[in-house]
């Protein structure tokens, strides 16, 4: 998928209340492609904040990472798909093939069917933290295997780190959507993220969408931080860096 640099950028509105999220969304209007509502904001503010963002004209990535038995996930995905403005939503690939197929079936009646993607391996995991969960081997190999499973279930794409992106592209093809968090501009704090990449590196590796939270939301000047990232993406797309 080819889209203008700023449209590839999704900003994670990870706030504990709707006011700061809506305020930042207002300031970002026209500058990025989508906003992300995750479990923190959704738990605090519920579907109302999604409706408010949709009324402002935003396309929304509803990042609730469902992971439950197939029937429950099908119902949750169906409810999410009925919310206005939701263009992208996700489940955990570790929920398995039947769960992902049920999730896809849950979207059948949605009028504007959002794209459904699966989280492969959280970008906050490294090999050691995966091993402690009983999952042995490099995170990359696990992420590629889960991407294949998501594709087999009929999902539109995956959430993955930039590290395994090229391999997933090769195995799952060009049209398989890739959404990449764990993005850190050079010099930004890594915080709890492990498998990170710069915006330019993620784009060059083939990301359709980049998800960025704290490097923007915690910046002293979030608009300036956004503009700097968009400039980096433009330069990467035109081969200037
Ligand atoms: O602040 P930061 O840029 O690390 O935010 C990344 C965002 O992407 C968070 O909202 C996090 O929940 C989300 N995310 C992630 N890793 C995934 C899926 C989503 O970091 N695998």
């Amino acid at each position: 998928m080819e889209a203008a640099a700023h449209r590839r950028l999704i900003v994670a509105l990870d706030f504990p209340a709707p006011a700061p999220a809506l305020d930042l969304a207002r300031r970002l209007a026209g500058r990025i492609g989508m906003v992300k509502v995750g479990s923190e904001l959704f738990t605090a503010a519920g579907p109302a904040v999604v409706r408010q963002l949709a009324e402002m004209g935003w396309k929304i990535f509803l990042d609730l990472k469902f992971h439950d038995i197939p029937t429950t996930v099908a119902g949750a995905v169906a409810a999410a798909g009925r919310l206005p403005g939701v263009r992208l939503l996700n489940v955990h690939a570790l929920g398995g093939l039947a769960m992902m197929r049920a999730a896809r079936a849950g979207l059948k009646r949605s009028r504007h069917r959002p794209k459904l993607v699966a989280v492969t391996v959280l970008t906050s995991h490294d090999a050691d933290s995966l091993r402690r969960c009983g999952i042995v081997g490099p995170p990359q190999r696990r992420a590629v295997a889960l991407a294949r499973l998501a594709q087999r279930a009929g999902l539109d794409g995956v959430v993955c780190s930039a590290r395994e992106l090229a391999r997933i592209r090769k195995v799952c093809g060009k049209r398989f959507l890739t959404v990449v968090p764990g993005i850190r501009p050079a010099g930004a704090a890594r915080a709890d993220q492990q498998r990170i990449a710069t915006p330019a590196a993620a784009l060059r590796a083939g990301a359709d969408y980049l998800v960025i939270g704290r490097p923007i939301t915690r910046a002293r000047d979030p608009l300036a931080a956004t503009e700097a990232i968009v400039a980096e993406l433009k330069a990467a797309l035109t081969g200037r860096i």
Side-chain angles (χ1 to χ4, degrees), residues 12 14 36 63 65 119 122-123 159 181 184 193 211 213-215:
D14 291 329
K36 182 172 88 69
D63 175 26
K65 300 187 184 69
V119 176
L122 291 171
T123 41
V159 182
R184 292 291 180 267
Q193 298 284 18
V211 175
R214 287 161 291 183

Side-chain angles (χ1 to χ4, degrees), residues 12-14 36-39 61 63 65 90 92 119-124 159-161 179-184 189-193 195 211-218:
L13 300 176
D14 291 329
K36 182 172 88 69
V37 175
S39 50
F61 172 18
D63 175 26
K65 300 187 184 69
N90 60 1
H92 266 289
V119 176
T120 52
V121 175
L122 291 171
T123 41
S124 52
V159 182
C160 64
S161 95
V179 180
V180 179
I183 304 295
R184 292 291 180 267
R190 162 194 290 259
D192 54 354
Q193 298 284 18
R195 297 181 355 268
V211 175
I212 306 188
R214 287 161 291 183
I216 289 176
T217 57
R218 306 256 174 107

Side-chain angles (χ1 to χ4, degrees), residues 203-241:
L203 207 58
R204 278 197 302 259
D208 291 309
Y209 290 109
L210 275 64
V211 175
I212 306 188
R214 287 161 291 183
I216 289 176
T217 57
R218 306 256 174 107
R220 210 172 295 145
D221 183 345
L223 285 195
T226 305
E227 293 307 327
I229 289 167
V230 169
E232 181 176 335
L233 295 180
K234 273 189 189 148
L237 273 184
T238 52
R240 279 183 281 127
I241 55 170

Side-chain angles (χ1 to χ4, degrees), residues 3-55:
H6 73 284
R7 287 188 200 283
R8 312 276 201 112
L9 181 54
I10 303 179
V11 171
L13 300 176
D14 291 329
F15 293 103
L22 294 169
D23 179 52
L24 181 59
R26 232 168 257 125
R27 296 167 70 200
L28 289 175
R31 292 170 194 264
I32 58 166
M34 249 190 255
V35 289
K36 182 172 88 69
V37 175
S39 50
E40 181 182 8
L41 182 60
F42 195 79
T43 305
V49 75
V50 175
R51 292 199 183 93
Q52 280 170 293
L53 288 165
E55 274 163 25

